[in-house]
């Protein structure tokens, strides 16, 4: 086969984490499956609050997202180096078998990135197709680390990254972070039972209670990520991450999707869910305005003309009230 491109759905337009984006786009063509997975997952969060990382993300290890509908295959880097000769041909074989391939490569060697020949950054990019005659892969990623997009990446760049790329070493608990180089998945079971309401309820409770899923040093879970952002701002008002503010938007967008799924599956509580949907829409509008104010201040290189810590405290209070009511309704 000379050319292949696996389908990707663009619903919903939620972009923050490549792994989350890819999964939602894969599930998009299967409405029942999409509703189940989006309602049961993407609640738990993890924020790193130490020297290893300052990132905030959905905590997926405890979820095993997609275990009931996806075929999953992860390839350890060490195993790949001793068993694979041509990494491009290997990826092509996976694509021919309908696997979406996430490649953890070194962007220093990939021409498409703003870090090309500047910085060594490991980044998980989705390869969803190829053109053998043009010697290119079809790739989706944040090539400037801000904007989601799809571009063509040459086989030559992929091979160079694979053979010459630098991989960071993480000690102790974090040693497994980048142990793999390929993360592959495809739809294996398109059927879906109704959402597990009790599971959703428990996860919402865990989120509000900041339930700890592991003993990772410096790792915090749950809604307290808003408190941590506020403390970072108070310690250094010049440090405001637009990406982390956008994570709040994404978490609420997915919560809004979840509310609509619950409303559909619990029609007797439809009016109560309608009230919560309206409240969350109002809160989401305010968070988006906050995000835009941060963006404008950064573009203009000006101090942010608002108390961001107070804004985060208000956001947390309103969000917690909405989720608490959700728990009571389910």
């Amino acid at each position: 086969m000379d050319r292949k491109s696996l389908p990707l759905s663009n619903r919903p337009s939620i972009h923050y984490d490549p792994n989350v984006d890819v999964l939602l786009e894969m599930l998009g063509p299967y409405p029942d499956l999409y509703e189940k997975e989006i309602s049961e997952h993407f609640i738990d969060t993890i924020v790193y609050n130490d020297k290893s990382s300052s990132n905030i993300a959905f905590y997926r290890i405890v979820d095993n997202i997609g275990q009931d509908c996806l075929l999953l295959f992860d390839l350890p880097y060490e195993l790949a180096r001793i068993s694979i000769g041509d990494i491009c041909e290997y990826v092509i074989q996976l694509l021919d078998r309908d696997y979406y391939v996430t490649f953890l490569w070194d962007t220093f060697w990939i021409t498409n990135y703003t870090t090309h020949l500047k910085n060594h950054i490991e980044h998980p990019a989705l390869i969803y197709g190829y053109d053998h005659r043009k010697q290119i892969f079809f790739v989706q990623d944040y090539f400037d680390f801000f904007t989601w997009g799809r571009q063509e990446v040459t086989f030559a760049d992929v091979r160079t990254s694979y053979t010459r790329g630098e991989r960071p070493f993480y000690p102790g608990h974090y040693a497994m972070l980048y142990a793999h180089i390929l993360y592959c998945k495809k739809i294996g079971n398109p059927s879906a039972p109704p959402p597990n309401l009790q599971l959703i309820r428990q996860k919402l409770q865990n989120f509000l209670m900041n339930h700890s899923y592991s003993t990772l040093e410096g790792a915090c879970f749950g809604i307290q990520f808003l408190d941590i952002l506020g403390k970072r701002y108070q310690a250094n008002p010049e440090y405001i991450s637009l990406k982390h503010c956008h994570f709040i938007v994404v978490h609420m967008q997915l919560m809004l999707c979840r509310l609509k799924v619950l409303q559909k599956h619990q029609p007797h509580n439809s009016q109560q869910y309608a009230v919560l949907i309206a409240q969350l829409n109002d809160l989401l509008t305010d968070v988006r305005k906050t995000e835009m104010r941060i963006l404008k201040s950064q573009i203009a290189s000006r101090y942010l003309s608002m108390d961001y810590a107070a804004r985060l405290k208000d956001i947390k209070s309103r969000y917690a009230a909405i989720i608490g009511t959700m728990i009571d309704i389910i």
Side-chain angles (χ1 to χ4, degrees), residues 225-244:
F225 79 86
L226 290 162
D227 298 323
I228 293 172
L229 290 181
K231 291 177 181 178
R232 289 178 185 173
Y233 172 75
Q234 290 175 326
N236 182 8
E238 294 185 4
Y239 176 77
I240 301 178
S241 171
L242 187 65
K243 178 184 179 184
H244 294 167

Side-chain angles (χ1 to χ4, degrees), residues 89-129:
E89 291 301 322
Y90 186 82
V91 170
I92 287 171
Q93 291 181 48
L94 290 170
L95 292 167
D96 283 342
R97 288 161 177 78
D98 296 327
Y99 278 95
Y100 294 78
V101 180
T102 299
F103 197 129
L104 189 65
W105 54 35
D106 183 353
T107 60
F108 181 90
W109 299 109
I110 308 295
T111 308
N112 308 65
Y113 289 87
T114 55
T115 51
H116 179 237
L117 300 182
K118 295 178 183 177
N119 303 105
H120 291 277
I121 297 178
E122 293 281 338
H123 212 255
L126 171 69
I127 301 178
Y128 63 94

Side-chain angles (χ1 to χ4, degrees), residues 71 148 174 184 280:
L71 297 177
W148 170 91
Y174 296 93
C184 313
L280 186 52

